[in-house]
Amino acid sequence: MDATRRAEKLTLLADAARRAATYIGADAPVFPSTADIEALAGLTDRLPDGPKDPAEVIEQLDRIGSPATVRTNGGRYFGFVNGGSEPEALAANVIAAAWDQNIALPVMSPTAARLDDIAARWIVEILGLPTAATGGFCAGAAVANLTCVVAARDALLAREGWDVSERGLMGAPPLQIIASEEIHIAVLKALRVAGLGTDTITFVPTDTHGRARAEAMPALRPRALVLLQAGNVNTGHSDPFGPFAEATKAADGWLHVDGAFGLWAAASPTHRHLVEGVERADSWAVDAHKWLNVPYDSAIAICARGEDLRRSMAMNAAYLPAEAERASMHLGLQMSQRARAVETWAVLATKGRRGLASMIDHTCALAGLMAGVLEAAGAEILTEPALNQVLVAFGDDAATERVIAAVQDDRHAWAGGTTWQGRQAMRISCSDTMASTDDASAAAAAILDSWERVRPGRLP
Ligand SMILES: *Cc1c(COP(=O)(O)O)cnc(C)c1O
C-alpha cells in the first residue's frame, strides 16, 4: 500500500475514533431538535465532480450528521424494540470494520469463520435449543424469518418427494399454513416472498395478552407449517409452544418461532418459563441487534436440523472450494457478507451465561419499574408487563396520543405509540441494556411531566 495513503487512513481513523468517543460521551437530548434536522440540508447532496480531502468529508459527516441522529444508545430511548450497543460489541465492531472480512467462505477469513462457528453454537446453547441445531447469521429477524420459512417450505415438500429447488412451486402440493393472529408482519412478508402467499393462512385467535390460544388450534393436515412467536412486539408475551409443538410433531409438520427479541428470555433462569417448550420447534429467528445489544445489523436463522437449512441455502460453483463444513453462503440468503458474529461473540464472551441473564433481567426490571411509577400516578397499564415491554394509556385515545406527542416533543425520553386491542397506547420498550435505573426513573418522570402539561384544564 502506498505509504502516504496508509498514513491518511490512520490519521482519519484516529480522528473518527475521537469523534465517535465525543458522540458517545455527550449528554444530549434523545431526539434531534428541529434545527438539527433542518441542518441536514447542509450535507453535500450534489455529486461532486472532483476529489476533496476525506478529512473534510468526515468533519461534515460528524458536524451535521451526528446532531440529527436518534440517541438509541444513551439510556433514554424506549421506542420500537431497538437495542443500544454494549461496550465490547461496539469495540468489536470497530475492529471488525478495520478487518473488513467477507465471511462467505472460511477461506476468506479463518478468524471470522471461527468466531462465526463459536457464536452460532453459543446462541444455540444459551437459548437451550437442541444441540444439533444449526444457525446462520443474517441481517435481521425479517431475513431470518424468510430463511426459516423457505427451509420449512422446502423440507415439508421434500418429504413428499417434491424438490422445490428443481421443480419450483408451480404444481406443488399445497401447504397448510397456520399462524398466530398476532404474528409479526415480517413473517407475513416472508410468506409472500417465499411464494406461499397470505390468503390461505388459518389464523389462531389470541388472548388479551396477545398469546395464541392452544384450544383454538385448527386440526393439522399433512404439510402443516405453524408460525408462532416468542415476544409479542406490543406486550412481550409469548405463545404457548408446548401444545402446538405436540400437535405439529404428531402431524409431521413444521413449527417455526419468530423470537426476534423475546427468545432471549430463554437465556434467563428467571424468565425462561415464559418461553417454555420453545426448544421443541423446528426453526427459530432471533435478532442480535435488539436485545443482545450488538450494533445493527445482526440476527441468526436457526434450524433444528442443519441439513434443512443447507437444502435451501447452499450454492455450488466450480470456483468454490468443496470443503466448507460451515460456510455462511450455504447457510443463508447472502453470499458476500460482513462478519456479523464478531460482535455477538464479544458480548457472549464478555458476559457469559450469568451476565447475559443479568442483561435480560435488568431490562425487564426497568420495564417493571416504569410500569409501577406510571400506574401509581394514575396511568393505565394495558397488559400485565412480561419481559421488557409496557403498554400505557393516559385516559382516552386522544389523551394518550397527546401524551405521546408531548413526550416526543420534550426529548428527555422517547417512546412511540401503538394500537392494542382497539385502544391507543404508549409503547415502552426497555431494550437498551446500558440504560440504568436512574434513566428509567427519569424517563418515567419525564412522561408524567408531559402528561401533566397536556392535561385538559391546565392553564397555559
Ligand atoms: C423486530 C421484529 C421483527 C423484524 O426484525 P428485524 O430485525 O427488524 O428484521 C420480526 N418479528 C418480531 C417479533 C420483531 O420484534
Side-chain angles (χ1 to χ4, degrees), residues 318-331:
Y319 68 87
L320 297 172
E323 39 97 16
E325 358 27 291
R326 190 185 156 77
S328 296
M329 61 172 281
H330 300 312
L331 296 173

Side-chain angles (χ1 to χ4, degrees), residues 140-142 145 184 186 229 231 233 258 260-261 287 289-290:
N145 278 306
H184 195 275
Q229 64 185 352
V233 279
D258 173 11
F261 70 98
D287 267 321
H289 56 216
K290 286 179 177 171

Side-chain angles (χ1 to χ4, degrees), residues 339-356:
R340 293 193 176 84
V342 175
E343 302 101 8
T344 291
W345 175 85
V347 172
L348 294 177
T350 303
K351 302 296 192 274
R353 282 178 189 282
R354 270 185 290 121
L356 178 60

